[in-house]
Amino acid sequence: MSQDNIASTVHLIMADFRTVNLKNFSVIVLYLFPEALEQIKHQLLRDCDPVTVVVSIGFLIKGFPISESFQATSGLCAYKYINIPSNSFTTSQDS
């Protein structure tokens, strides 16, 4: 894929995640602290298709099953989530 094709298909949005509709995204990259990840979990479950890829940089999304994890040489981890079933989310077990 050429750079022109990539540029026409990739859309970067810097916005308050609480106001963005996530329904039409195929990949979502989050660089949020755990408190903010807690806030966005409900939105991810409500808005995302099962095939949406969610990547969290630095922190796990509690209650979501990890598909893959990656660690940079700096030690920073990224966690990939895909096919997140709505029944995997249980607030009572999150601690």
Side-chain angles (χ1 to χ4, degrees), residues 18-63:
R18 293 167 289 199
T19 63
V20 176
N21 181 337
L22 302 174
K23 289 185 181 188
N24 295 318
F25 293 96
S26 56
V27 177
I28 299 169
V29 179
L30 306 169
Y31 196 41
L32 302 170
F33 285 111
E35 297 81 11
L37 290 172
E38 280 296 311
Q39 293 176 22
I40 200 170
K41 285 196 299 191
H42 298 284
Q43 188 175 351
L44 292 169
L45 290 169
R46 182 190 68 225
D47 292 350
C48 295
D49 288 329
V51 295
T52 301
V53 175
V54 177
V55 178
S56 176
I57 309 293
F59 299 99
L60 292 166
I61 303 174
K62 290 182 182 177

Side-chain angles (χ1 to χ4, degrees), residues 1-11:
M1 186 176 263
S2 73
Q3 283 189 340
D4 290 335
N5 288 345
I6 291 172
S8 68
T9 59
V10 173
H11 303 281

Side-chain angles (χ1 to χ4, degrees), residues 45 84-90:
L45 290 169
I84 302 167
S86 60
N87 62 2
S88 72
F89 176 65
T90 54

